[in-house]
Amino acid sequence: MASHAIEVKNLYKIFGPRGREFVDRVKVGMTKGELNERHGHVLGLQNINISMPAGGVMVVMGLSGSGKSTLIRHINRLIDPTAGEVLYDGVDVCKMNENDLREFRRHKTAMVFQKFALLPHRTIIENTIYGLEIQGIPDSESRKRAQGWIERVGLKGFENHYPNQLSGGMQQRVGLARALTNDADILLMDEAYSALDPLIRVDMQTVLLDLQKELKKTVVFITHDLDEALRLGDKIAILRDGKVIQQGTGQEIVLKPADEYITAFVKEVNRGRVINVETIMKPLSGNPEGIPVVLGTVLEVAARMMTVANQTSAHVVTVDGKPVGSIDLATIISAMVTPISHEPSLQAAE
Ligand SMILES: Nc1ncnc2c1ncn2[C@@H]1O[C@H](COP(=O)(O)OP(=O)(O)O)[C@@H](O)[C@H]1O
Ligand SMILES: [Mg+2]
């Protein structure tokens, strides 16, 4: 199944009985605080425009209360917008009739929750087939499908256990297996990993990345953790007070944080894992020196390759092996520790 992009356009959500009346005032500058104090309405989202990559991971990041859950819940319309559109494959989810919406939710979307939402009296496999059961798919077929996903998420042998016999990380694997068993194109993950211990969390990120290489679902992943966002996100949007304050690739955000708030976020980041060799390479002059490093390689990996090869310079090549630039260890190391403020190739991309 080919994945489709999700386009969020001019989306507003104002919680309260007369939300619609306030959209225009928010458009001309009424703040969340004013709306709340003067009119008792809550500004959930304002003018959200995000194009989520088809078959990629879209990360939505922000502090608690910034509107992340409100946004993700618009995608399967657990929340109706006050204004705006959510397009999937060109169709506005917000305008679907009841039937189409039910079909869309069942067949196109699956949610993975932070609290796992497993049914305690059902075994792992019974939990995993729950969605298929609701769709009326015969038990034998459901179980066959579920079994494959249970194995893929590393839970072979636990099919007949109950949720309380599993650790948090394993329960989250069940949540993922259940979502995958539904065979939905869109995976909606609202802080799915936030309750896990750091090491388990990184394991679960790896599980998702490995699956994603092959499945290429359209994943919307919410987190308030920047490391997680950078590791998983093909694209990242950062929300504050219901507004997108920056969106782009992890590298774009780390290299050019849009404001103080994001600068504070990215300060602690391991830049070597985010910035890639393209950003710092120089044009080739003369013959390529040292080992070849493929475009897109992050600095940390390039530095390791060069160190292992005992070389201080390298040349950057395309996937077809064509040399396109040169790098040296000193520049790599300094880029890993010093913020780059004026990067020509990024400016050109703007
Ligand atoms: N049903 C609701 N009624 C009123 N306000 C709400 C409702 N749901 C969320 N909000 C408010 O909308 C804002 C965004 O909330 P939320 O999307 O849950 O943030 P996040 O998921 O980023 O923590 C918050 O100010 C929250 O209090
Ligand atoms: Mg939330």
Side-chain angles (χ1 to χ4, degrees):
M1 176 169 52
S3 286
H4 299 283
I6 299 166
E7 299 270 346
V8 178
K9 289 191 173 165
N10 309 319
L11 190 71
Y12 288 80
K13 179 66 190 180
I14 298 173
F15 291 103
R18 295 182 294 129
R20 263 169 219 278
E21 292 172 29
F22 298 111
V23 171
D24 284 339
R25 277 188 253 182
V26 169
K27 280 185 182 167
V28 295
M30 182 178 277
T31 66
K32 182 167 174 161
E34 285 165 351
L35 183 67
N36 198 3
E37 281 151 31
R38 292 198 207 142
H39 306 284
H41 279 54
V42 178
L43 183 51
L45 295 172
Q46 50 178 322
N47 198 21
I48 306 287
N49 287 280
I50 304 177
S51 169
M52 305 190 175
V57 180
M58 176 77 219
V59 167
V60 179
M61 223 186 104
L63 299 177
S64 177
S66 59
K68 305 181 298 294
S69 295
T70 303
L71 175 58
I72 205 170
R73 287 182 193 149
H74 275 86
I75 294 171
N76 57 355
R77 216 172 117 194
L78 294 178
I79 296 181
D80 275 306
T82 310
E85 299 177 309
V86 177
L87 302 174
Y88 173 76
D89 204 10
V91 177
D92 189 353
V93 174
C94 311
K95 294 209 177 73
M96 283 181 183
N97 64 31
E98 223 173 286
N99 258 334
D100 292 347
L101 181 61
R102 194 182 315 118
E103 288 297 295
F104 173 76
R105 281 192 186 140
R106 273 191 194 166
H107 297 290
K108 300 292 187 204
T109 70
M111 286 196 103
V112 184
F113 303 92
Q114 176 174 354
K115 295 268 159 51
F116 321 132
L118 302 179
L119 300 165
H121 303 299
R122 290 181 146 234
T123 62
I124 298 316
I125 193 148
E126 287 165 356
N127 265 285
T128 309
I129 62 173
Y130 188 63
L132 299 185
E133 213 174 279
I134 291 176
Q135 291 175 34
I137 291 172
D139 199 57
S140 58
E141 192 194 324
S142 307
R143 280 176 187 261
K144 202 163 78 194
R145 265 208 238 170
Q147 185 63 36
W149 291 116
I150 287 176
E151 290 177 18
R152 283 300 303 276
V153 301
L155 288 177
K156 189 173 162 59
F158 292 93
E159 297 81 355
N160 298 314
H161 285 57
Y162 286 88
N164 68 3
Q165 298 174 293
L166 269 53
S167 68
M170 288 164 88
Q171 292 187 44
Q172 193 50 284
R173 286 171 194 252
V174 181
L176 192 56
R178 180 179 51 192
L180 294 168
T181 299
N182 281 349
D183 197 25
D185 178 35
I186 305 170
L187 275 188
L188 302 173
M189 304 179 72
D190 189 352
E191 308 231 19
Y193 296 167
S194 297
L196 303 175
D197 291 338
L199 290 178
I200 310 257
R201 186 166 176 169
V202 171
D203 274 352
M204 289 303 294
Q205 292 164 5
T206 308
V207 169
L208 181 64
L209 287 172
D210 284 348
L211 284 164
Q212 180 63 2
K213 266 186 218 149
E214 174 193 325
L215 298 176
K216 302 217 183 309
K217 305 250 178 208
T218 298
V219 181
V220 184
F221 192 101
I222 288 181
T223 181
H224 54 251
D225 182 83
L226 183 65
D227 286 321
E228 186 162 77
L230 292 169
R231 180 144 190 249
L232 297 178
D234 293 303
K235 185 173 174 188
I236 300 170
I238 301 180
L239 291 186
R240 185 176 52 190
D241 292 340
K243 229 186 196 151
V244 174
I245 45 177
Q246 188 169 13
Q247 55 180 318
T249 63
Q251 172 164 295
E252 281 162 359
I253 288 168
V254 169
L255 287 176
K256 289 202 135 201
D259 66 5
E260 294 296 310
Y261 172 82
I262 302 177
T263 305
F265 255 125
V266 302
K267 221 165 51 190
E268 306 297 328
V269 145
N270 181 339
R271 311 173 69 81
R273 290 198 188 144
V274 182
I275 301 170
N276 66 48
V277 290
E278 254 156 297
T279 311
I280 59 154
M281 71 183 184
K282 299 189 180 83
L284 268 184
S285 59
N287 287 330
E289 280 181 59
I291 55 167
V293 174
V294 181
L295 277 173
T297 305
V298 294
L299 299 184
E300 188 180 76
V301 172
R304 201 178 306 131
M305 288 166 68
M306 291 165 75
T307 311
V308 168
N310 200 16
Q311 296 190 353
T312 53
S313 17
H315 60 285
V316 179
V317 295
T318 63
V319 278
D320 313 321
K322 181 171 162 272
V324 290
S326 67
I327 48 176
D328 62 84
L329 205 49
T331 313
I332 292 180
I333 304 291
S334 94
M336 280 165 66
V337 293
T338 341
I340 302 172
S341 49
H342 298 291
E343 211 306 310
S345 67
L346 267 182
Q347 284 175 348
E350 276 171 5

